[in-house]
Amino acid sequence: MFTSVKMVFLVLYLIVVSQGIFYLYALSEALSGISMDAYAEIRNSTDKVIEWPHKFVYPAAVLVGLIAVVLSFIKAPGSLVSITTAIAFVCVVVDLALAVKFNLPINAQFHTYQAGMQGVDWESLRNTWLQVLNYRGVLQVVGFLALLVGMFK
């Protein structure tokens, strides 16, 4: 059972980390260099596509990760696999917390964006959103690598 839980955690984590890697690799720089109108359109279109899957994937990753941590500490307390699974779990929890605290509220503001809209510093919001997403991407990669190290020790 423990092996199955670890594999499910790995697959869910792979889905999470794939977004982070893509933003770290190319999309952050590309999005920071386009017009605000184009950025808002891309952000809002992307949100419509990934919002529902993320509402499933993140809670599932946290739940399965917690189960994997508990099982790993029961099966092999203090082992490399229990430590790396715990590191991966903490990374995904912190990633989710950053998303809820920063990215989701900014997404909600951009859902109201209209071309030429005044009164909101859209550039600052975009910069904050991208910066936090990059931090999250690093966390995701660290957690995923930790999970891999523990699984393939």
Side-chain angles (χ1 to χ4, degrees), residues 3 14 31 40 44 46 67 76 78 94 102:
T3 302
L14 179 61
L31 289 176
N44 291 336
T46 303
I67 293 167
V94 172
F102 294 101

mmCIF file of all heavy atoms in Angstrom, residues 3 14 31 40 44 46 67 76 78 94 102:
data_model
loop_
_atom_site.group_PDB
_atom_site.id
_atom_site.type_symbol
_atom_site.label_atom_id
_atom_site.label_comp_id
_atom_site.label_asym_id
_atom_site.label_seq_id
_atom_site.Cartn_x
_atom_site.Cartn_y
_atom_site.Cartn_z
ATOM 1 N N THR A 3 3.792 1.795 -1.254
ATOM 2 C CA THR A 3 4.348 2.045 -2.584
ATOM 3 C C THR A 3 3.300 2.679 -3.491
ATOM 4 O O THR A 3 3.600 3.613 -4.242
ATOM 5 C CB THR A 3 4.880 0.744 -3.201
ATOM 6 O OG1 THR A 3 5.864 0.198 -2.330
ATOM 7 C CG2 THR A 3 5.500 0.994 -4.557
ATOM 8 N N LEU A 14 3.922 15.575 -9.875
ATOM 9 C CA LEU A 14 4.379 15.832 -11.245
ATOM 10 C C LEU A 14 3.465 16.834 -11.943
ATOM 11 O O LEU A 14 3.940 17.742 -12.636
ATOM 12 C CB LEU A 14 4.445 14.532 -12.041
ATOM 13 C CG LEU A 14 4.876 14.648 -13.499
ATOM 14 C CD1 LEU A 14 6.275 15.231 -13.612
ATOM 15 C CD2 LEU A 14 4.800 13.293 -14.171
ATOM 16 N N LEU A 31 5.653 36.462 -20.166
ATOM 17 C CA LEU A 31 4.496 37.222 -19.675
ATOM 18 C C LEU A 31 4.867 38.597 -19.145
ATOM 19 O O LEU A 31 4.050 39.514 -19.172
ATOM 20 C CB LEU A 31 3.757 36.430 -18.587
ATOM 21 C CG LEU A 31 2.982 35.209 -19.055
ATOM 22 C CD1 LEU A 31 2.375 34.475 -17.872
ATOM 23 C CD2 LEU A 31 1.916 35.580 -20.069
ATOM 24 N N ALA A 40 -3.464 40.107 -19.345
ATOM 25 C CA ALA A 40 -4.757 39.852 -18.695
ATOM 26 C C ALA A 40 -5.563 38.826 -19.486
ATOM 27 O O ALA A 40 -6.193 37.937 -18.902
ATOM 28 C CB ALA A 40 -5.532 41.155 -18.538
ATOM 29 N N ASN A 44 -6.499 35.262 -17.798
ATOM 30 C CA ASN A 44 -7.904 34.911 -17.608
ATOM 31 C C ASN A 44 -8.284 33.668 -18.410
ATOM 32 O O ASN A 44 -9.038 32.822 -17.930
ATOM 33 C CB ASN A 44 -8.801 36.096 -17.950
ATOM 34 C CG ASN A 44 -8.659 37.222 -16.928
ATOM 35 O OD1 ASN A 44 -8.281 36.997 -15.785
ATOM 36 N ND2 ASN A 44 -8.944 38.434 -17.349
ATOM 37 N N THR A 46 -6.181 31.243 -19.265
ATOM 38 C CA THR A 46 -5.507 30.134 -18.605
ATOM 39 C C THR A 46 -6.267 29.709 -17.352
ATOM 40 O O THR A 46 -6.451 28.506 -17.104
ATOM 41 C CB THR A 46 -4.053 30.514 -18.249
ATOM 42 O OG1 THR A 46 -3.373 30.915 -19.434
ATOM 43 C CG2 THR A 46 -3.318 29.363 -17.598
ATOM 44 N N ILE A 67 -0.863 11.327 3.810
ATOM 45 C CA ILE A 67 -0.935 9.869 4.005
ATOM 46 C C ILE A 67 0.431 9.236 3.777
ATOM 47 O O ILE A 67 0.867 8.375 4.553
ATOM 48 C CB ILE A 67 -2.010 9.253 3.083
ATOM 49 C CG1 ILE A 67 -3.404 9.723 3.504
ATOM 50 C CG2 ILE A 67 -1.926 7.729 3.094
ATOM 51 C CD1 ILE A 67 -4.498 9.426 2.488
ATOM 52 N N ALA A 76 9.077 3.295 8.240
ATOM 53 C CA ALA A 76 10.533 3.471 8.364
ATOM 54 C C ALA A 76 10.850 4.834 8.973
ATOM 55 O O ALA A 76 11.332 5.732 8.286
ATOM 56 C CB ALA A 76 11.183 3.331 6.999
ATOM 57 N N GLY A 78 12.498 7.978 10.432
ATOM 58 C CA GLY A 78 13.856 8.507 10.347
ATOM 59 C C GLY A 78 14.634 8.087 9.122
ATOM 60 O O GLY A 78 15.785 8.487 8.952
ATOM 61 N N VAL A 94 3.403 24.577 1.473
ATOM 62 C CA VAL A 94 3.837 25.982 1.395
ATOM 63 C C VAL A 94 3.476 26.565 0.026
ATOM 64 O O VAL A 94 3.015 27.705 -0.076
ATOM 65 C CB VAL A 94 5.341 26.122 1.700
ATOM 66 C CG1 VAL A 94 5.834 27.543 1.431
ATOM 67 C CG2 VAL A 94 5.624 25.721 3.147
ATOM 68 N N PHE A 102 -1.389 34.818 -2.273
ATOM 69 C CA PHE A 102 -0.964 35.810 -3.252
ATOM 70 C C PHE A 102 -1.604 35.620 -4.634
ATOM 71 O O PHE A 102 -2.259 36.526 -5.139
ATOM 72 C CB PHE A 102 0.568 35.804 -3.397
ATOM 73 C CG PHE A 102 1.287 36.243 -2.164
ATOM 74 C CD1 PHE A 102 1.854 35.308 -1.300
ATOM 75 C CD2 PHE A 102 1.394 37.587 -1.846
ATOM 76 C CE1 PHE A 102 2.516 35.711 -0.153
ATOM 77 C CE2 PHE A 102 2.059 38.002 -0.699
ATOM 78 C CZ PHE A 102 2.619 37.055 0.159
#
